[in-house]
Amino acid sequence: MVIRRVLAPRIDFGALRRELELPERFPPAAQREAEEAAAAPPRPDVDRTDVPFVTVDPATSRDLDQAMHLTRRRSGGFRVRYAIADVAAHVRPGGALEEETWRRGQTVYLPDGNVPLHPETLSEGAASLLPDQDRAAVVWTIDLDADGGTVAVALERALVRSRAKLDYAGVQAAADAGRLPEPIALLPELGALLTARGLRRGAVNLPLPEQDVEPDGDGWRLVLRGPVPMEEHNAQISLLTGMAAADIMLAGGIGLLRTMPPPRPEAVARLRTAADRLAVHWPDGVGAGEVLAGLDASEPRAAAFVDQAAELMRGAAYTAFDGAPPEQPAHGGVAAAYARASARLRRLADRFATEVCLALHADRPVPDWARAALPRLPQVMAATDRTAGAATRGAVELAEAVLLAHRVGETFDAAALEVDEPRPGRQPGGTVALDAPPVRARCTGVLPLGERVRVRLVTADPATRKVLFALT
């Protein structure tokens, strides 16, 4: 659901690309390897092209990592088939393409075009799970009982064929009308079941609206949209697969987990205090995740509470192990052990995590090239996570500054989302979210957390991507 959008003039994102030192093209040797792999695509021995998989992604995406097919089991419960693009079958260990993917780490998305982990001939072509094309994939088959508990997991390399490229808005409209395609007809039921299981475990999900910069003719539009239910249901299938991957790795004594400490008691206590200040109802015995799941984040007090809850989600990292499991193997936001394994076209780490799982499941040795990569991956992924985050933030900040540059001195209605902790010598301030245009920025003054405020635009500088308001 689009909450707000506004048209912005032409914007040049080139300076941001240069600042982040994003590569403009692939080295010739890496590009040549990708083209050779695309010209001779792998054909696994196992054929699953009879399974009518479909993909669900943003409408403009072509780097399609995952496809799914959901059915009911005769004995009760569900069967989830989840096909992941088999990138490792296209990338030769030790080759020029692999070396370049280590340098990139992950796909970086910018409004004027992405900086892909793999050349487009693979990421949007021969390795992507595009509809009506035979593709090599790693297929996870996960059987669940009627309560959503996992009872069996299998995975294999197989040939698959997606039947349709679906997008979130279309899928949500079909769900609302009761006309979902058969391969995902069970997704609302199963997604809600898995979400409820997660909340009972203590999982925490922040229902933050997503701020994007999208092309609009000769200009751009700044869009703020809340997540639609089908996005969350779709994410639950990825989480389910990631938890299955983590269990395989922990049982096998080798792998790469996505870890995060559980929320610190003092952080939870501060959030409870914020709930009282913001009049957010938090019953005794109810976890933070359950409180967050029941909020309407478009309401100012709820939005401020969600912003405060971000403190619970600190310390996420990639954790490699070979032998003894990590002292803290779980992910606090998932409230379970979890591994990223479903975005092999877009994240380097997922390629190696999946190879470990394939080997362990088949009771064979983990390939030397995958085992040797594990200790290097946490540092590489941390660095590229920072770059990808800086690109996303920088693009939005630039669009905000361009959009507001001619409006310095004007006043706007806003909500106070965050208030700085008082410190000696520090000017009071915090973060506000404007009603329109959909801008979130710093604001000076004594802000009332979660309340409506009137603010004046002090600075909007596209050169520095700085936007600053002052409380009126």
Side-chain angles (χ1 to χ4, degrees):
M1 176 183 66
V2 173
I3 300 175
R4 295 192 294 272
R5 69 172 65 209
V6 65
L7 186 66
R10 294 186 178 184
I11 302 173
D12 180 9
F13 296 95
L16 181 59
R17 289 173 175 270
R18 291 188 293 274
E19 176 185 321
L20 296 175
E21 299 181 345
L22 299 177
E24 296 182 4
R25 59 185 62 85
F26 282 83
Q31 183 68 42
R32 184 166 55 253
E33 281 189 21
E35 292 170 357
E36 291 171 353
R43 293 191 66 86
D45 294 336
V46 178
D47 190 324
R48 300 292 182 209
T49 55
D50 61 317
V51 180
F53 287 104
V54 297
T55 61
V56 184
D57 291 275
T60 58
S61 295
R62 287 188 56 81
D63 50 350
L64 309 182
D65 280 296
Q66 313 107 6
M68 76 174 75
H69 180 259
L70 310 175
T71 55
R72 290 196 191 276
R73 298 169 60 214
R74 291 182 180 177
S75 57
F78 306 85
R79 169 163 287 184
V80 175
R81 287 191 177 96
Y82 204 42
I84 312 299
D86 193 358
V87 178
H90 296 81
V91 179
R92 176 170 57 84
L97 178 56
E98 186 193 42
E99 180 181 353
E100 180 63 13
T101 61
W102 276 95
R103 185 166 77 94
R104 296 180 178 228
Q106 62 186 284
T107 297
V108 175
Y109 292 92
L110 283 168
D112 60 348
N114 63 16
V115 182
L117 175 61
H118 303 91
E120 290 182 1
T121 188
L122 291 179
S123 61
E124 299 186 6
S128 179
L129 302 183
L130 297 166
D132 302 319
Q133 303 292 324
D134 288 353
R135 292 290 188 258
V138 174
V139 178
W140 291 78
T141 301
I142 304 175
D143 287 341
L144 308 174
D145 61 26
D147 294 324
T150 299
V151 296
V153 176
L155 65 158
E156 61 187 356
R157 281 196 153 94
L159 195 68
V160 303
R161 184 185 303 134
S162 170
R163 300 302 196 270
K165 178 184 181 297
L166 308 178
D167 63 83
Y168 292 125
V171 166
Q172 187 62 55
D176 293 342
R179 292 195 294 268
L180 279 172
E182 180 273 332
I184 56 169
L186 295 174
L187 186 55
E189 178 185 352
L190 180 55
L193 184 64
L194 293 174
T195 296
R197 285 182 66 89
L199 293 176
R200 290 195 297 271
R201 287 195 311 269
V204 177
N205 179 43
L206 300 181
L208 293 169
E210 185 175 354
Q211 197 172 12
D212 285 326
V213 182
E214 301 175 346
D216 191 316
D218 291 335
W220 303 88
R221 58 177 178 261
L222 186 63
V223 179
L224 187 69
R225 58 165 61 86
V228 298
M230 290 301 289
E231 284 186 76
E232 172 60 22
H233 298 330
N234 188 55
Q236 288 297 323
I237 304 303
S238 179
L239 284 172
L240 174 71
T241 307
M243 289 187 287
D247 288 344
I248 289 173
M249 293 176 185
L250 289 168
I254 181 173
L256 181 71
L257 303 177
R258 183 65 170 169
T259 58
M260 189 176 78
R264 301 186 309 277
E266 59 270 26
V268 176
R270 283 193 292 271
L271 188 60
R272 280 193 173 273
T273 299
D276 291 339
R277 293 169 58 194
L278 295 165
V280 171
H281 184 51
W282 190 336
D284 291 339
V286 174
E290 294 174 276
V291 176
L292 288 161
L295 296 180
D296 176 5
S298 64
E299 193 277 321
R301 289 174 179 255
F305 182 77
V306 171
D307 203 80
Q308 300 296 301
E311 187 181 355
L312 304 181
M313 312 289 278
R314 305 291 188 195
Y318 287 89
T319 302
F321 66 102
D322 191 347
E327 183 177 341
Q328 199 292 104
H331 187 290
V334 180
Y338 168 68
R340 284 180 164 174
S342 62
R344 302 179 86 195
L345 286 173
R346 294 173 283 131
R347 280 194 305 258
L348 178 68
D350 296 38
R351 184 196 312 165
F352 299 93
T354 303
E355 291 306 310
V356 171
C357 289
L358 282 163
L360 293 175
H361 181 71
D363 197 25
R364 55 178 173 76
V366 173
D368 290 342
W369 58 267
R371 184 184 292 268
L374 297 180
R376 300 172 54 197
L377 284 165
Q379 183 176 357
V380 170
M381 296 309 300
T384 58
D385 277 348
R386 289 192 293 270
T387 299
T392 300
R393 290 191 304 273
V396 170
E397 290 167 354
L398 177 57
E400 291 176 336
V402 170
L403 180 69
L404 294 171
H406 65 291
R407 303 185 67 178
V408 172
E410 292 186 29
T411 57
F412 301 82
D413 291 317
L417 293 188
E418 185 178 5
V419 177
D420 296 339
E421 289 291 329
R423 294 180 187 171
R426 181 181 188 179
Q427 185 180 20
T431 303
V432 296
L434 271 59
D435 292 353
V439 169
R440 174 183 170 130
R442 292 286 303 166
C443 180
T444 60
V446 181
L447 295 171
L449 184 66
E451 299 294 333
R452 310 290 308 163
V453 292
R454 189 76 177 166
V455 298
R456 178 175 54 86
L457 180 59
V458 176
T459 301
D461 183 0
T464 60
R465 303 195 298 273
K466 181 179 180 181
V467 173
L468 179 66
F469 292 88
L471 188 66
T472 60

